[in-house]
Amino acid sequence: MTSIDLSKPVLVTGATGFVAGWIVKKLLEKGMTVHAAVRDPENAKKTNHLRDLAKDTPGKILFFKSDLLDEGSYEDAMKDCELVFHTASPFTSNYKDPQKDLIDPAVNGTRNVLEQANRTASVKRVVVTSSCAAIYTDASEVAQTPKGMLTEEIWNTTASLDYQPYSYSKTLAEKEAWKIAKSQSQWDLVVVNPCLVLGPAVNPETATSESYTILKQLGDGTMKMGVPNLGLGIVDVRDLAEAHLNAGLLPEANGRNIISAHNTNMLEAAKILHKHFGDKYPVPKKSLPKWLLMLVGPFVNKMITRDFVKKNVNVAWKADNSKSIRELQVSYRSLEETMVDSFQVMIDHNLVKG
């Protein structure tokens, strides 16, 4: 049972990220002091929206130059903090070298932050943003689980450097976090495992998450012939930020926590957008045949291999989110609200054209 002093500063790594932006916003609204660890505090385009948030809230924000791969670079940012949110980790399908671009930043970054926690006497709790990708690789695995759904007890054993390296990076990084946590007794570790995160970004113009790439492709005509009907879970970024906050501040928060609002698929999400925006934007309302995806997928996106299509397209996805509702007190909003708000923000910032 860890109690956090709300008058002490809170560290958020990767503070300019999609999920981190909302965590920072919620902390500032609670009147807390945020130590925002970023690669370049002088990059106004990336940081001004967070400075503006602080002006409109009772909280305070301070920026610290830090780098995932630079050992010791979180020392100043973590000073006097009892609570650390480690959200910084690459989420992209645009990589050249999976080891260098995905594995190293995820694993070494986690190690750097948590070993700094070991050296910082004030730290009482670390919340790590992992992923459901550390639980599974392909939707086809869900049917093979003991309860027919993903649970916190399950670990990803099928991803590798050659197949779904993003999932592999999240698995290795979370295992490293638990290894370090179990080697000490000063602070406790709480892990948040979200599925696909959608919702409005705090700063849409600089949002680089893969989530926004998917939203753009749904609205800009890339998928107008049809959507790959992937089985997946979706959660709103605002609900995920609330889950993080409760994971950090509720004394009884513990272990891994699946954060997923909806057991759904890409077609259902697209149909919602089509209903609201289909008259002005080329949003798909049907799915692409599986055989066609197997034929052309590998040429369109290196992640859409024939094996991936076979194991994820038209395959049901299901996760048990009961722990997050029961222990982290998460209340999930509707898929319709998430999809509509996500897309409307992109329209408002001219990120998709009708």
Side-chain angles (χ1 to χ4, degrees):
M1 300 287 277
T2 301
S3 183
I4 301 298
D5 184 345
L6 301 188
S7 70
K8 296 290 178 64
V10 175
L11 171 59
V12 180
T13 72
T16 57
F18 179 41
V19 176
W22 276 98
I23 296 172
V24 170
K25 185 175 190 292
K26 288 181 178 290
L27 289 168
L28 291 171
E29 286 171 350
K30 282 185 79 73
M32 300 181 76
T33 297
V34 176
H35 283 189
V38 297
R39 269 186 291 193
D40 182 9
E42 304 307 315
N43 186 338
K45 190 178 178 185
K46 287 281 189 82
T47 59
N48 274 355
H49 69 289
L50 296 177
R51 298 180 204 274
D52 291 341
L53 283 177
K55 289 176 190 170
D56 298 329
T57 58
K60 180 181 174 186
I61 191 164
L62 299 169
F63 289 89
F64 295 84
K65 183 178 175 62
S66 307
D67 190 292
L68 283 172
L69 299 180
D70 185 0
E71 190 178 342
S73 72
Y74 290 93
E75 182 179 358
D76 290 343
M78 205 178 288
K79 190 178 179 185
D80 298 328
C81 294
E82 289 189 355
L83 176 59
V84 172
F85 289 102
H86 177 45
T87 76
S89 189
F91 178 30
T92 180
S93 61
N94 184 23
Y95 57 84
K96 291 180 181 176
D97 180 341
Q99 183 69 45
K100 183 182 171 188
D101 300 336
L102 294 173
I103 310 295
D104 290 348
V107 177
N108 296 338
T110 296
R111 187 183 300 125
N112 282 342
V113 172
L114 270 58
E115 286 183 348
Q116 185 59 55
N118 284 343
R119 296 190 292 267
T120 307
S122 58
V123 175
K124 290 183 177 180
R125 174 170 287 177
V126 178
V127 177
V128 167
T129 309
S130 183
S131 171
C132 278
I135 295 174
Y136 84 111
T137 302
D138 296 299
S140 59
E141 294 165 27
V142 173
Q144 302 158 21
T145 60
K147 297 179 182 176
M149 65 178 83
L150 302 176
T151 65
E152 285 85 359
E153 290 74 39
I154 299 168
W155 279 89
N156 187 328
T157 59
T158 53
S160 68
L161 199 58
D162 299 317
Y163 183 69
Q164 300 302 313
Y166 168 73
S167 298
Y168 191 49
S169 76
K170 297 305 287 187
T171 306
L172 293 179
E174 191 187 332
K175 283 188 172 179
E176 183 69 14
W178 284 114
K179 178 181 161 189
I180 295 169
K182 286 168 182 171
S183 71
Q184 55 77 56
S185 57
Q186 174 195 318
W187 46 269
D188 65 353
L189 175 65
V190 183
V191 173
V192 175
N193 300 83
C195 54
L196 177 65
V197 186
L198 297 177
V202 172
N203 191 28
E205 283 93 346
T206 59
T208 56
S209 171
E210 192 70 14
S211 303
Y212 257 56
T213 303
I214 292 167
L215 280 169
K216 277 185 183 177
Q217 290 177 341
L218 283 170
D220 67 7
T222 303
M223 299 186 190
K224 66 182 177 183
M225 300 304 292
V227 64
N229 191 26
L230 303 170
L232 44 73
I234 292 177
V235 67
D236 194 291
V237 67
R238 295 164 289 189
D239 297 337
L240 177 55
E242 191 66 29
H244 275 84
L245 222 66
N246 291 349
L249 299 176
L250 290 175
E252 63 274 20
N254 70 91
R256 307 174 92 197
N257 299 270
I258 290 174
I259 311 297
S260 177
H262 307 284
N263 299 318
T264 184
N265 55 63
M266 196 66 85
L267 180 60
E268 186 179 357
K271 281 181 174 178
I272 291 170
L273 290 183
H274 189 273
K275 183 177 94 172
H276 288 271
F277 304 102
D279 57 335
K280 292 182 180 176
Y281 297 88
V283 180
K285 61 177 178 180
K286 62 181 182 180
S287 61
L288 287 172
K290 198 164 183 172
W291 65 265
L292 181 61
L293 276 167
M294 291 181 99
L295 203 64
V296 303
F299 300 103
V300 177
N301 186 316
K302 63 185 172 186
M303 289 179 72
I304 308 177
T305 62
R306 287 178 175 83
D307 202 24
F308 176 79
V309 171
K310 190 169 100 178
K311 294 175 179 176
N312 292 278
V313 173
N314 299 341
V315 179
W317 188 96
K318 191 176 184 183
D320 182 359
N321 66 3
S322 60
K323 186 180 184 223
S324 68
I325 295 168
R326 183 177 66 250
E327 297 187 15
L328 295 187
Q329 301 173 14
V330 182
S331 177
Y332 293 110
R333 63 196 74 209
S334 70
L335 183 58
E336 187 158 23
E337 182 181 352
T338 297
M339 297 308 300
V340 170
D341 287 359
S342 302
F343 203 73
Q344 188 60 54
V345 163
M346 299 192 77
I347 292 170
D348 294 344
H349 289 83
N350 296 313
L351 297 174
V352 287
K353 303 282 196 295

